[in-house]
Amino acid sequence: MSLLEAANIKKTYTTRFGGNKVEALRNVSFAVEKGEYVAVMGESGSGKTTLLNILAALDKPTGGRIRLDGQDLSELSEKEISQLRRDKLGFVFQDFNLLDTFTLEDNIYLPLVLAGEKHAEMKRRIIPLAVQLGIEPLLKKYPYEVSGGQKQRISLARALAIRPSVLILDDTTSAVDMETEKQIQQSLRELDFPCTKIVIAQRISTTKTADKIIVLQNGYIEEMGTHEELMEKKGYYYELVKLQTGVDEL
């Protein structure tokens, strides 16, 4: 059984004025295996963020089902969903969601405090992550004292601290420099616990190494495969790569 399954996911929004219906996702189906690195790619408005929010159990689909580790999320209560998010899902979003009145160290500790972990266990988890991500010298600083790239690594450390089964990243490397992206990618490869990674990606450097790339267009899956498979196909993904690299022929 796959770790994560999306079956015929639909999401329809009703606009505030006029009551028009907008289909953000249409019959989206795929499976993610344990330990896989999956990249979700597509142009603005293709449904990437909507899909991420549904996978993260932050939003519910209008139709279809999400199963995580054998559990149908539609059958869980709000309390059970909250528990699942706390125990199994790690999130890194573009806006960081760091608390300015907490040090960076305390921001990382927060989910572990909420989970009732002892201080010694928190230290045992955090220090290796901080060293791995190159943020150990920053831990006593506050969010307003560090750069966006450093905040991104703090957010990643906080998400990884709970040792999640699934880590979900919302385009977290497109706003950082290439060196920071490389450091983040390396850290994700060197985790000492099994973790499935799903990332909304814009840069080809992020999608190239993915086990699976899901390419969305207008709310449905246009293509799915590895970088090599999709490049050989010379379809929509190929055109996106050409557009990003500025090369007429690859």
Side-chain angles (χ1 to χ4, degrees):
M1 182 186 294
S2 301
L3 177 68
L4 179 69
E5 297 176 55
N8 300 312
I9 298 300
K10 301 177 184 178
K11 185 63 180 181
T12 303
Y13 294 104
T14 302
T15 57
R16 184 176 298 178
F17 303 108
N20 296 324
K21 291 189 175 181
V22 177
E23 283 189 304
L25 294 173
R26 295 182 282 173
N27 296 318
V28 171
S29 297
F30 61 90
V32 179
E33 304 305 319
K34 187 175 182 178
E36 268 194 321
Y37 167 34
V38 177
V40 180
M41 193 179 191
E43 294 184 294
S44 178
S46 61
K48 301 186 302 295
T49 299
T50 300
L51 177 60
L52 180 146
N53 286 336
I54 290 173
L55 295 178
L58 297 172
D59 195 5
K60 294 181 180 179
T62 308
R65 293 181 181 275
I66 298 288
R67 294 180 69 89
L68 176 60
D69 208 10
Q71 290 183 298
D72 186 334
L73 300 193
S74 67
E75 296 176 354
L76 301 182
S77 66
E78 287 301 321
K79 184 178 180 180
E80 290 171 325
I81 287 285
S82 296
Q83 185 73 38
L84 179 142
R85 282 199 298 261
R86 188 163 61 243
D87 295 345
K88 294 187 176 182
L89 299 175
F91 317 101
V92 184
F93 296 111
Q94 289 183 24
D95 56 3
F96 312 126
N97 289 333
L98 298 175
L99 300 175
D100 280 339
T101 55
F102 282 29
T103 64
L104 298 175
E105 183 177 40
D106 287 340
N107 268 282
I108 298 172
Y109 281 156
L110 187 57
L112 296 178
V113 172
L114 295 174
E117 293 288 353
K118 294 182 179 179
H119 188 262
E121 173 62 17
M122 292 193 288
K123 275 280 188 187
R124 190 185 71 80
R125 292 191 194 185
I126 297 307
I127 297 305
L129 278 174
V131 171
Q132 196 174 18
L133 289 165
I135 55 175
E136 191 179 14
L138 307 175
L139 294 180
K140 299 303 180 184
K141 292 181 178 290
Y142 288 84
Y144 54 81
E145 296 181 293
V146 299
S147 69
Q150 290 167 331
K151 288 178 184 176
Q152 197 65 272
R153 282 179 279 168
I154 294 294
S155 298
L156 180 57
R158 181 179 59 186
L160 291 173
I162 66 168
R163 303 174 76 85
S165 299
V166 180
L167 178 67
I168 298 175
L169 304 100
D170 184 5
D171 201 12
T172 54
T173 59
S174 66
V176 300
D177 59 68
M178 296 298 288
E179 191 57 40
T180 299
E181 180 191 13
K182 192 181 299 182
Q183 186 175 24
I184 290 173
Q185 296 261 13
Q186 183 176 345
S187 297
L188 292 175
R189 286 194 297 270
E190 295 175 352
L191 295 176
D192 63 353
F193 61 92
C195 181
T196 301
K197 295 165 280 288
I198 302 174
V199 53
I200 286 184
Q202 295 296 337
R203 288 179 177 172
I204 303 307
S205 54
T206 303
T207 63
K208 262 186 175 181
T209 56
D211 298 307
K212 183 185 297 172
I213 303 168
I214 297 169
V215 187
L216 293 178
Q217 184 182 26
N218 297 325
Y220 63 89
I221 295 179
E222 176 69 28
E223 294 177 319
M224 187 160 54
T226 65
H227 173 78
E228 291 75 17
E229 289 168 347
L230 296 180
M231 290 300 289
E232 187 175 344
K233 188 178 178 182
K234 292 194 173 183
Y236 186 57
Y237 177 80
Y238 179 85
E239 293 301 322
L240 288 176
V241 173
K242 284 204 306 181
L243 187 65
Q244 187 175 129
T245 57
V247 177
D248 291 334
E249 194 67 33
L250 297 167

